[in-house]
Amino acid sequence: MKKRNAWLGLILLALLLGAGGRALWLWLDRPIERVSIRGEWEYVSADYLRTQLAPLVQEATWLSADLGELRQRALRIGWLSEVRISREWPNALVFELVEQTPVARWNDDFLLNPQGESFAFAPLAVPQGLPDLAGPTGSGEEVLTYYRRLTPHFQGLSLSLSQLRLEPRGAWRLQLSNGAWVMLGRRQHEIRLARLSASWQRELAQVGDHIRYIDLRYPNGVAVAWHGESDFAEEDEE
């Protein structure tokens, strides 16, 4: 009989603890009333981030909120490269946010980060002074890498690149800081760039502001189109 009473006592204690734990959980699992954001940002503002994050926690509760899922949803905000979330007593979530670093504009509607990954910039404005890059979907890293390779070459000619384009068929074209376009094509890039450097240093630098196009796709020379002239025919050459 005593043994039976002991078991009943343990069962009652377990039920009381369970009921108490359930009540404690419900008391703690209250709606989220405050969202704190932390970080250092150059391009985004705290107000913008709060506006973007508010819908994510609108119906969440403090203990039941899935922080991993919230993090993945927050990373869909284009300007964020890293998100860390923690709970803060009694009813707040803390978001530690790292913004993307834009290094180039990409296909008009996107920006590239230093890894060549694209992200949407809207509704914010595009930062000033970024090069304009473009290419097929998924080629951001390739185009950015080639832009970085080309930059010191043109710096040696006292030029910079304002645009770089990778065409769907694999041809490259670029725009110099003076507005002239250079048709580089699909192959023999080093040879063609060396030919451009020689021509630029020899004579083209003096008339650079009058150049519309420089076509390097010829086997043994450079074709130049000038402002005020009709377009020359683009060869179907690599």
Side-chain angles (χ1 to χ4, degrees):
M1 187 67 177
K2 291 182 178 180
K3 186 175 181 180
R4 181 181 179 186
N5 288 338
W7 278 108
L8 287 174
L10 289 173
I11 292 172
L12 287 173
L13 178 61
L15 291 173
L16 287 172
L17 290 174
R22 174 66 176 169
L24 178 62
W25 176 276
L26 292 175
W27 182 74
L28 292 174
D29 196 28
R30 60 189 66 188
I32 294 169
E33 296 184 5
R34 184 168 59 88
V35 173
S36 298
I37 58 174
R38 299 173 183 170
E40 296 181 1
W41 314 296
E42 180 180 353
Y43 302 98
V44 297
S45 67
D47 288 341
Y48 167 78
L49 293 171
R50 288 192 187 95
T51 300
Q52 297 297 310
L53 292 172
L56 305 186
V57 299
Q58 189 169 12
E59 298 181 0
T61 53
W62 192 66
L63 280 180
S64 298
D66 186 333
L67 301 190
E69 180 184 357
L70 276 178
R71 176 181 179 274
Q72 292 303 316
R73 293 172 65 191
L75 282 171
R76 294 174 193 155
I77 300 172
W79 277 94
L80 296 182
S81 65
E82 185 53 77
V83 175
R84 293 181 290 273
I85 310 174
S86 59
R87 294 179 174 89
E88 187 175 85
W89 175 264
N91 52 17
L93 292 182
V94 178
F95 286 76
E96 296 182 64
L97 307 175
V98 180
E99 70 177 350
Q100 295 275 14
T101 301
V103 297
R105 188 161 183 170
W106 177 248
N107 285 342
D108 295 330
D109 296 324
F110 299 90
L111 299 174
L112 292 181
N113 65 19
Q115 292 73 44
E117 301 164 337
S118 63
F119 62 94
F121 59 84
L124 303 184
V126 178
Q128 297 296 312
L130 297 179
D132 190 354
L133 310 184
T137 301
S139 65
E141 182 179 4
E142 178 185 2
V143 178
L144 180 60
T145 298
Y146 196 45
Y147 171 82
R148 288 168 172 164
R149 286 180 55 194
L150 289 173
T151 296
H153 177 89
F154 286 98
Q155 285 177 339
L157 301 174
S158 298
L159 293 169
S160 60
L161 303 182
S162 59
Q163 296 192 52
L164 178 62
R165 298 281 190 268
L166 174 60
E167 305 295 349
R169 294 180 57 193
W172 293 90
R173 63 187 176 99
L174 54 95
Q175 188 179 40
L176 303 177
S177 51
N178 65 358
W181 281 95
V182 176
M183 318 304 291
L184 189 55
R186 291 200 297 258
R187 59 187 180 184
Q188 297 182 327
H189 296 159
E190 296 304 319
I191 294 174
R192 293 173 177 179
L193 289 171
R195 189 186 306 150
L196 173 63
S197 294
S199 298
W200 190 264
Q201 292 171 329
R202 185 172 56 247
E203 55 187 342
L204 295 182
Q206 287 73 32
V207 291
D209 291 341
H210 302 286
I211 297 174
R212 293 182 61 200
Y213 297 95
I214 301 174
D215 195 339
L216 303 176
R217 297 172 298 174
Y218 293 86
N220 297 307
V222 173
V224 178
W226 309 94
H227 287 295
E229 293 182 349
S230 301
D231 290 339
F232 56 79
E234 294 187 5
E235 297 183 333
D236 187 21
E237 194 270 336
E238 291 80 13

